[in-house]
Amino acid sequence: MRRTSFATTRRLAATGIALLLLAAAGTAAPARAAEPGGPAPLGQVVPAPASVRPGGDPYEITARTAVRVPPGNPEAARIGGYLAGLLRPSTGYRLPVLPGGTDGPGIRLVLDEGEGGSGGEGYRLSVTSRSVTISAREGAGLFHGVQTLRQLLPARAGSTARQPGPWTVAGGVVTDAPRYGYRGAMLDVARHFFTVDQVKRYVDQLALYKYNALHLHLSDDQGWRIAVDAWPRLAAHGGSTQVGGGPGGFYSKDDYREIVRHAASRYVTVVPEIDMPGHTNAALASYARLNCDGVARPLYTGTEVGFSSLCVAKPDTYDFVEDVVGELAALTPGPYLHIGGDEAHSTGPADYAAFMDRVQPVVARHGKTVIGWHQLAGARPAPGALLQYWGYGGTGAAERDRVAAAARAGAGLILSPADRAYLDMKYTKDTPLGLSWAGLVEVRQSYDWDPGGYLAGVPAAAVAGVEAPLWTETISTSAQLEYMAFPRLAGIAELGWSPPATHDWAAYRVRLAAQGPRWDELGITYYRSPQVPWLVT
Ligand code: TNX
């Protein structure tokens, strides 16, 4: 008999008395039948794979299944261990990870120069009655293939408690590679602080949907969240509160390294942001000399924007930028450093451009590529810089044109249109959390657009990818974060990964519905949008 997992208990509690009454009357079968127990159809994956060819016999994971990895390859062995570690609790099987014998039966991870297309993130997953073979050119591709395999197993495979089999995977071949090389999610840890463990939990959720970048918004008016040795009061004082008051917090360098390490193990690159020259009250509160008038500002726990600015004319400002960028770049293995640049309403346009002219070369000197919010288009974006577009319906044509012109002049674009990709926008007027300045963003609204054609006049090659930002003025717990992120996070992932030809709301909502039981098993809180035909009600 199936043991009741924690998630199932929650589900039962949520469905309430009605289901209990049905069960008592011995008529619970319809509800159970609606829960997917068997193998998912081969294409029932989010993000939609580039190509799916179902056919042949299914594979069944049994007590005798081994995970086979190439010998002498620690990376593949680690991915094999990760997969086995995910499946051992629910299946109760040993699932040994065996180096060598990748032509033998079982689950096989194969590194193959010929697989996976550009960027090393592609993979091929082939299922026969004898084996499941994931082949890829690089570890990233193997890892993404493992995420696909997870979704092809019954949802209960994600449980941390032992569950009954069978553990069947539909037969056929999936060949897959991403549309865009940048698929990010942003977490604002400045408005409310999130601990290392909370961030790691989110990284694991991003990995499910093949995200490859975690943008951490590390500083804002309400908090400074990263230790800087040369300027210790930034974290010690600037990190000591958050929106609504409360203790705030900050990451020590070891904390940050731990986030980077964990993210890397999930093939996610950390993109740190220090927002400048606006959104800097926490820094201005920590050091009097960063202010033009030499007077430290009080700490701020409200939610207004646009009132703070670094002092563009002061040499101290550039000592600060040099030290902060230098220390952060040294801690960050990824190629990007985000310098913010949004809503600098207290910095004049000439000062803004002058500031960005001085700051962007500092980032380059420390070996990083600049990302800025799209307002950077109003200054002079450095060669190779990426602009993150966060406009919405109310964004004026002139502003859009400026961004498009910058893209034509060589800037890359990350698309985060606020009325589509902002995870902090309310779903409906009744959503208890979030904001609505960019409108209400239901699941379909969030999914139904094309990053490739979104901004008129932008060459397709300028689009580096998509990002789903989560601002946290109203969000302070993981449950709240997840409720705003899920299900929209999955849709933005699909826009970043899947070929445009797979884009289809009617098909997507069905694949999305199949994620619900998986989120239940993982304890992920999500918004049960009425637009999605969830399997269990
Ligand atoms: C605008 S988006 C901001 C943030 C706020 C967010 C709230 C952007 C670059 N700036 O400072 O947190 O709106 O939705």
Side-chain angles (χ1 to χ4, degrees), residues 68-71 98 100-110 130-131 133:
R68 300 180 186 277
V69 297
L98 306 178
T102 43
D103 47 0
I107 301 175
R108 319 188 290 197
L109 304 185
V110 176
R130 186 162 176 268
S131 63
T133 307

Coordinates of all heavy atoms in Angstrom, one line a residue, residues 68-71 98 100-110 130-131 133:
R68 N 25.2 4.1 -14.5 CA 26.6 3.9 -15.1 C 27.1 5.2 -15.6 O 26.4 5.9 -16.3 CB 26.5 2.8 -16.2 CG 26.0 1.5 -15.7 CD 25.9 0.5 -16.8 NE 25.3 -0.8 -16.3 CZ 25.9 -1.7 -15.6 NH1 27.2 -1.6 -15.4 NH2 25.3 -2.8 -15.2
V69 N 28.4 5.5 -15.2 CA 29.0 6.7 -15.6 C 30.4 6.4 -16.2 O 31.0 5.4 -16.0 CB 29.2 7.7 -14.4 CG1 27.8 8.1 -13.8 CG2 30.0 7.0 -13.3
P70 N 30.9 7.3 -17.1 CA 32.2 7.1 -17.7 C 33.3 7.0 -16.6 O 33.2 7.8 -15.7 CB 32.4 8.3 -18.6 CG 31.3 9.3 -18.3 CD 30.2 8.6 -17.5
P71 N 34.2 6.1 -16.8 CA 35.3 6.0 -15.8 C 36.2 7.2 -15.8 O 36.4 7.8 -16.9 CB 36.0 4.7 -16.2 CG 35.6 4.5 -17.6 CD 34.3 5.1 -17.9
L98 N 28.1 3.2 -10.9 CA 29.2 2.4 -11.3 C 30.0 3.1 -12.4 O 29.5 3.3 -13.5 CB 28.7 1.0 -11.8 CG 27.8 0.3 -10.9 CD1 27.3 -1.0 -11.5 CD2 28.5 0.0 -9.5
G100 N 32.2 3.0 -15.5 CA 32.5 2.0 -16.5 C 31.2 1.3 -16.9 O 30.1 1.5 -16.3
G101 N 31.3 0.5 -17.9 CA 30.2 -0.3 -18.4 C 29.0 0.5 -18.9 O 27.9 0.1 -18.8
T102 N 29.3 1.6 -19.5 CA 28.2 2.5 -20.0 C 27.5 1.9 -21.3 O 26.6 2.4 -21.8 CB 28.7 3.9 -20.3 OG1 29.9 3.8 -21.0 CG2 28.8 4.7 -19.1
D103 N 28.0 0.7 -21.7 CA 27.2 0.0 -22.7 C 26.3 -1.1 -22.0 O 25.6 -1.8 -22.7 CB 28.1 -0.7 -23.8 CG 29.3 -1.4 -23.2 OD1 29.4 -1.4 -21.9 OD2 30.1 -1.9 -24.0
G104 N 26.4 -1.2 -20.7 CA 25.6 -2.2 -20.0 C 24.2 -1.7 -19.7 O 23.9 -0.6 -20.1
P105 N 23.3 -2.5 -19.1 CA 21.9 -2.0 -18.8 C 21.9 -1.0 -17.7 O 22.9 -0.9 -16.9 CB 21.2 -3.3 -18.4 CG 22.3 -4.2 -17.8 CD 23.6 -3.8 -18.6
G106 N 20.8 -0.3 -17.6 CA 20.6 0.6 -16.5 C 20.4 2.1 -17.0 O 20.1 2.3 -18.1
I107 N 20.7 3.0 -16.1 CA 20.7 4.4 -16.4 C 22.1 4.8 -16.7 O 23.0 4.7 -15.9 CB 20.1 5.3 -15.3 CG1 18.7 4.8 -14.9 CG2 20.1 6.7 -15.7 CD1 18.1 5.5 -13.7
R108 N 22.4 5.3 -18.0 CA 23.7 5.5 -18.4 C 24.0 7.0 -18.7 O 23.2 7.6 -19.5 CB 24.0 4.7 -19.6 CG 23.4 3.3 -19.5 CD 23.8 2.3 -20.6 NE 23.2 2.7 -21.9 CZ 23.2 1.8 -22.9 NH1 23.7 0.6 -22.8 NH2 22.7 2.1 -24.1
L109 N 25.0 7.5 -18.2 CA 25.4 8.9 -18.5 C 26.6 8.8 -19.4 O 27.6 8.3 -19.0 CB 25.7 9.7 -17.2 CG 24.6 9.8 -16.2 CD1 25.0 10.7 -15.0 CD2 23.3 10.2 -16.7
V110 N 26.5 9.4 -20.6 CA 27.6 9.2 -21.6 C 28.0 10.6 -22.0 O 27.2 11.4 -22.4 CB 27.1 8.4 -22.8 CG1 28.1 8.3 -23.9 CG2 26.6 7.0 -22.3
R130 N 15.9 -1.7 -22.1 CA 17.2 -2.1 -21.5 C 17.9 -1.0 -20.7 O 18.6 -1.2 -19.7 CB 18.2 -2.7 -22.5 CG 19.4 -3.2 -22.0 CD 20.1 -4.1 -23.1 NE 21.4 -4.6 -22.6 CZ 22.5 -3.9 -22.8 NH1 22.6 -2.8 -23.5 NH2 23.7 -4.4 -22.4
S131 N 17.7 0.2 -21.2 CA 18.4 1.3 -20.6 C 17.8 2.7 -20.8 O 17.0 2.9 -21.8 CB 19.8 1.4 -21.2 OG 19.8 1.6 -22.6
T133 N 19.6 6.2 -21.6 CA 20.9 6.7 -21.9 C 20.8 8.3 -22.1 O 20.0 8.7 -22.9 CB 21.5 6.1 -23.2 OG1 21.4 4.7 -23.0 CG2 22.9 6.6 -23.4

